[in-house]
Amino acid sequence: MKKLVRPEGRSAFFLTTNGTGTPSMVRLIEAHYDEPEILARWRMVSEINQENLVAMRKYGETELDGTPLVYAVMEPTEMSLAELLQNRTLTVDEAKQLASSLIRALTALHAHGLVHEHVEPANILAAGETIKLRSDCVREANSPDDEAESNRRKAADAQNVAAVLLEAMTGRRTLQGSATLLPAPFDGIIRNGLSGKWGLSEMAAALGPVASPQPPAATPRPIATKEEPKKADIAAPTTGSSETVKAAATAAGPLFESAEKARIPAAPTASEPRAPAAAIPASRVVPPAQAPDVRHRIVKPVEKDPRKIQLVVVAGLVALLLIFVGWRMMRSSEAPSPAEKTHTTTSASQPAPAPRAATPAATAPAGAASAAEAPLSGRTQWHVVAYTYNHQDQAQQKAAELKQRHPSFNPEVFSPTGRAPYLVTVGGAMTRDQAIALRRKARAAGLPRDIYARNYSR
């Protein structure tokens, strides 16, 4: 591993090379009993030969310092669309290349029973002159018990494509009504895509054929007095320097060209020899990127009445005073009287009566209702896992926080082996069908999207 590119959740990305010096990107993920699922997805991705998906060269399992890991070796990429949008938006021709690449990549995934669910500028990368979508973060689209859920996931990918195109062309993530003006054919693609009326096939039909990007023709250069930066220096830019981002944008291809691509050679000094006129290339005019429409932001300033401001301030102070008085009155009414304290002390000193025989409870706890509907055997000990920790105290703290926000889910700490990792689960032990239904309900309630169900029977 030569360089840590970035961490991401329980995984990290590294730059490395093989024995022949070929650069590669490696992703390492800490395994939490989900190695078969991850490797199965990567196996399906490796069998898809589509140029707009980041190629997966190798994958497998390993161990580092006693920690089980899964790894994927992928082709190297350069800058991301998110880094480019920090400097400028895309032109119409660049947006057509972006839309065509994303539609082809997602169509290939959907045809193999996979969905992406993470189509966003940070996951859209450049490899030379080709736009590529990350392929190491896909999910299964086919649900064994709900075909409608599979169609919904595929439709969500199409909506994400429309959202990416809107941000790439305008710099905004919402349409803001009819004030946003979009050129054809993106007005129909973005509006119908965000509303869910159009899928990938309708978007592709409206986009039409898109010409592949052609590399710029080579032009003669003057005799340089300063060494040009090497390509390896800008292959993996960081976000800490704007100069580094611009340099990577120039080397990434037509879509990721910088708006300041034209360079004007500096005039030679009296001590430097003047280069021949034929050796000086003519500067090429690059059309500016399409600027976001800002006409909706032009509003007429309105002067505020100072008397209204004073009335609002006075009303706020009065409301705070009333709230404070009410709180004091509630505190005083809740305080027990001296007689009640004496009665409580006397009652506590008397011996407690003998406990009666325990009777079976009529109802089960609310959080375990779904798990109690059917008897559980050694093969039906399914759990829905929301969080994973290596320390038990951290897992218990997270379960307590989750119980305050979602008490009906009955969160608890579960360890399959009696040691790390410690899993924060919801709903307790249940059958497979109950676990799948509870996972869907938990996602809808705002729990993490990567919550999963697994059988931990022994």
Side-chain angles (χ1 to χ4, degrees), residues 386-407:
Y387 300 94
T388 306
Y389 293 90
N390 287 327
H391 300 282
Q392 186 176 9
D393 55 344
Q394 296 177 352
Q396 291 175 346
Q397 181 179 359
K398 189 64 178 180
E401 296 176 359
L402 191 60
K403 192 169 185 179
Q404 292 180 354
R405 298 197 307 267
H406 304 283

Side-chain angles (χ1 to χ4, degrees), residues 44 52 66-67 71 85 91 123 127 230 244 305 341 407 453:
M44 297 175 65
N52 299 113
T67 302
Y71 68 89
L85 295 181
T91 63
N123 293 331
K230 297 181 180 179
T244 305
D305 190 353
K341 291 183 179 180

